[in-house]
Amino acid sequence: MVKGATMLRYTGNPFMDAALSALTAAAELTDVVEIDSDDLKSATERLKDVLLSDSALGIGVERSFNRGSLSQIFPNSKLVNPSVKDPKKAKEEYKKLLNGLLSKSMESGDKSCPICGQRFREGEQKVKADKFPLLRGISNFYPELSEGLEICPLCALSIQFFPFSVLRAGERGRLWFIHTQNARLAIAIAKRFGWEHFERLVASRQTLDFHGSWDTSGEGGAVLSLFFHLITEMPEHELSIFESPHPVTAYVFTNDNRIAYIRPIPVPNEILIFIGRLWHESSYALRRFHRELLTIPR
Ligand SMILES: [Zn+2]
């Protein structure tokens, strides 16, 4: 890779793009194209601080996030694989994986990555749905009868950030995330409901899970609640996110080996604009809309 060249761009793959938004949020940047190798390193450290914390590994807390909720996304990662029973060993293995990918992320080669299109050296690990969500077909149906898709180290590292863009629709509900060209919206969600949420739980030594404590009904209710909480908690200068001309697609999914599933929910940009205008005109009216139409009383 040429020094100073743009390392990362959105790809059109919803999982990868959500991962890139979470990576951008971790690096505290506003655009994925600004990420350089130093940002990648600092974001990876931030990722380790959460996923390798005692709270995530299940040490001193009720249950392991990595073996529980996270395994719905990466059912066979180093953090989940039952062959690595000892959490300390799992920690070392995962660190080794991240450091290896990080050191290879700047290399170039002859092969073209099927996800991002960048050149990389042949012979990288092949990935299937256990390492890249929903990358599955009719039994091992990958190009040239290969046992999986060979992706570049930078994509293999970036996809590790995907969980920080994921939410839960209700306490025991399904997992979901959004895909949109409104990148600032996606980054704002990963910042508040991914990173800040997980880091707060780690700091207070609580069991981790995806953010999903809104008392609402169904996945549609979760999408509207997300926008409501975002607009009421975000600083004034970021509110232009709600004037976006771009629609959003929310994806409800699980990558569980037995019951892999994905369902798109199209969200017209008029909904964002409506919420933005209502907030601007009358914060009382928006709060009332939330309370009376979205919230299920306990
Ligand atoms: Zn790639």
Side-chain angles (χ1 to χ4, degrees), residues 11 16 112-118 120 151-156:
T11 62
M16 182 52 87
S112 183
C113 173
I115 307 283
C116 71
Q118 297 198 62
F120 69 106
I151 64 171
C152 76
L154 196 49
C155 281

mmCIF file of all heavy atoms in Angstrom, residues 11 16 112-118 120 151-156, ligand 1:
data_model
loop_
_atom_site.group_PDB
_atom_site.id
_atom_site.type_symbol
_atom_site.label_atom_id
_atom_site.label_comp_id
_atom_site.label_asym_id
_atom_site.label_seq_id
_atom_site.Cartn_x
_atom_site.Cartn_y
_atom_site.Cartn_z
ATOM 1 N N THR A 11 -17.731 -0.241 1.592
ATOM 2 C CA THR A 11 -17.646 -1.285 0.572
ATOM 3 C C THR A 11 -18.980 -1.640 -0.079
ATOM 4 O O THR A 11 -19.000 -2.280 -1.116
ATOM 5 C CB THR A 11 -17.127 -2.583 1.215
ATOM 6 O OG1 THR A 11 -18.083 -2.983 2.214
ATOM 7 C CG2 THR A 11 -15.770 -2.391 1.855
ATOM 8 N N MET A 16 -19.674 -5.164 6.692
ATOM 9 C CA MET A 16 -18.372 -4.499 6.679
ATOM 10 C C MET A 16 -18.528 -3.002 6.899
ATOM 11 O O MET A 16 -17.762 -2.390 7.639
ATOM 12 C CB MET A 16 -17.662 -4.794 5.351
ATOM 13 C CG MET A 16 -16.287 -4.186 5.258
ATOM 14 S SD MET A 16 -15.247 -4.592 6.673
ATOM 15 C CE MET A 16 -14.546 -6.123 6.131
ATOM 16 N N SER A 112 -6.751 -9.793 -5.286
ATOM 17 C CA SER A 112 -7.680 -8.694 -5.052
ATOM 18 C C SER A 112 -8.726 -9.130 -4.015
ATOM 19 O O SER A 112 -9.319 -10.194 -4.134
ATOM 20 C CB SER A 112 -8.328 -8.357 -6.388
ATOM 21 O OG SER A 112 -9.172 -7.284 -6.239
ATOM 22 N N CYS A 113 -8.943 -8.308 -2.997
ATOM 23 C CA CYS A 113 -9.869 -8.690 -1.913
ATOM 24 C C CYS A 113 -11.326 -8.620 -2.410
ATOM 25 O O CYS A 113 -11.743 -7.600 -2.953
ATOM 26 C CB CYS A 113 -9.665 -7.768 -0.721
ATOM 27 S SG CYS A 113 -10.877 -8.025 0.593
ATOM 28 N N PRO A 114 -12.110 -9.699 -2.233
ATOM 29 C CA PRO A 114 -13.499 -9.683 -2.719
ATOM 30 C C PRO A 114 -14.414 -8.733 -1.949
ATOM 31 O O PRO A 114 -15.510 -8.415 -2.397
ATOM 32 C CB PRO A 114 -13.957 -11.135 -2.514
ATOM 33 C CG PRO A 114 -13.067 -11.678 -1.460
ATOM 34 C CD PRO A 114 -11.755 -10.954 -1.576
ATOM 35 N N ILE A 115 -13.965 -8.260 -0.798
ATOM 36 C CA ILE A 115 -14.808 -7.335 -0.013
ATOM 37 C C ILE A 115 -14.464 -5.881 -0.340
ATOM 38 O O ILE A 115 -15.336 -5.088 -0.661
ATOM 39 C CB ILE A 115 -14.639 -7.572 1.516
ATOM 40 C CG1 ILE A 115 -14.874 -9.033 1.882
ATOM 41 C CG2 ILE A 115 -15.518 -6.622 2.323
ATOM 42 C CD1 ILE A 115 -16.311 -9.481 1.927
ATOM 43 N N CYS A 116 -13.186 -5.521 -0.250
ATOM 44 C CA CYS A 116 -12.819 -4.104 -0.399
ATOM 45 C C CYS A 116 -12.121 -3.802 -1.719
ATOM 46 O O CYS A 116 -11.954 -2.638 -2.072
ATOM 47 C CB CYS A 116 -11.938 -3.654 0.772
ATOM 48 S SG CYS A 116 -10.282 -4.366 0.712
ATOM 49 N N GLY A 117 -11.680 -4.815 -2.441
ATOM 50 C CA GLY A 117 -11.047 -4.604 -3.742
ATOM 51 C C GLY A 117 -9.563 -4.279 -3.680
ATOM 52 O O GLY A 117 -8.915 -4.146 -4.709
ATOM 53 N N GLN A 118 -8.995 -4.157 -2.461
ATOM 54 C CA GLN A 118 -7.573 -3.815 -2.380
ATOM 55 C C GLN A 118 -6.719 -5.059 -2.618
ATOM 56 O O GLN A 118 -7.155 -6.179 -2.434
ATOM 57 C CB GLN A 118 -7.270 -3.199 -1.009
ATOM 58 C CG GLN A 118 -8.045 -1.906 -0.837
ATOM 59 C CD GLN A 118 -7.488 -1.042 0.266
ATOM 60 O OE1 GLN A 118 -6.354 -0.614 0.208
ATOM 61 N NE2 GLN A 118 -8.305 -0.775 1.263
ATOM 62 N N PHE A 120 -3.754 -7.736 -1.982
ATOM 63 C CA PHE A 120 -3.089 -8.317 -0.827
ATOM 64 C C PHE A 120 -2.357 -9.579 -1.241
ATOM 65 O O PHE A 120 -2.530 -10.076 -2.354
ATOM 66 C CB PHE A 120 -4.075 -8.593 0.322
ATOM 67 C CG PHE A 120 -5.057 -9.705 0.058
ATOM 68 C CD1 PHE A 120 -4.929 -10.941 0.665
ATOM 69 C CD2 PHE A 120 -6.115 -9.519 -0.822
ATOM 70 C CE1 PHE A 120 -5.830 -11.971 0.427
ATOM 71 C CE2 PHE A 120 -7.023 -10.540 -1.077
ATOM 72 C CZ PHE A 120 -6.880 -11.761 -0.452
ATOM 73 N N ILE A 151 -10.045 -13.217 2.273
ATOM 74 C CA ILE A 151 -10.172 -11.751 2.342
ATOM 75 C C ILE A 151 -8.876 -11.147 2.869
ATOM 76 O O ILE A 151 -8.058 -11.841 3.476
ATOM 77 C CB ILE A 151 -11.384 -11.302 3.204
ATOM 78 C CG1 ILE A 151 -11.223 -11.711 4.675
ATOM 79 C CG2 ILE A 151 -12.674 -11.865 2.644
ATOM 80 C CD1 ILE A 151 -12.290 -11.102 5.585
ATOM 81 N N CYS A 152 -8.682 -9.854 2.620
ATOM 82 C CA CYS A 152 -7.412 -9.226 2.988
ATOM 83 C C CYS A 152 -7.326 -9.036 4.510
ATOM 84 O O CYS A 152 -8.351 -8.989 5.196
ATOM 85 C CB CYS A 152 -7.246 -7.901 2.249
ATOM 86 S SG CYS A 152 -8.226 -6.556 2.912
ATOM 87 N N PRO A 153 -6.108 -8.927 5.057
ATOM 88 C CA PRO A 153 -5.953 -8.777 6.513
ATOM 89 C C PRO A 153 -6.670 -7.545 7.060
ATOM 90 O O PRO A 153 -7.183 -7.563 8.177
ATOM 91 C CB PRO A 153 -4.441 -8.646 6.700
ATOM 92 C CG PRO A 153 -3.834 -9.226 5.476
ATOM 93 C CD PRO A 153 -4.807 -9.013 4.362
ATOM 94 N N LEU A 154 -6.726 -6.485 6.247
ATOM 95 C CA LEU A 154 -7.371 -5.258 6.717
ATOM 96 C C LEU A 154 -8.878 -5.482 6.908
ATOM 97 O O LEU A 154 -9.469 -5.009 7.885
ATOM 98 C CB LEU A 154 -7.102 -4.146 5.683
ATOM 99 C CG LEU A 154 -7.355 -2.713 6.114
ATOM 100 C CD1 LEU A 154 -6.715 -2.389 7.446
ATOM 101 C CD2 LEU A 154 -6.865 -1.745 5.041
ATOM 102 N N CYS A 155 -9.515 -6.215 5.979
ATOM 103 C CA CYS A 155 -10.940 -6.532 6.138
ATOM 104 C C CYS A 155 -11.138 -7.502 7.310
ATOM 105 O O CYS A 155 -12.102 -7.366 8.065
ATOM 106 C CB CYS A 155 -11.509 -7.143 4.858
ATOM 107 S SG CYS A 155 -11.869 -5.918 3.592
ATOM 108 N N ALA A 156 -10.233 -8.469 7.433
ATOM 109 C CA ALA A 156 -10.351 -9.440 8.536
ATOM 110 C C ALA A 156 -10.229 -8.739 9.886
ATOM 111 O O ALA A 156 -10.901 -9.107 10.857
ATOM 112 C CB ALA A 156 -9.277 -10.523 8.394
HETATM 113 ZN ZN ZN B 1 -10.295 -6.301 1.951
#
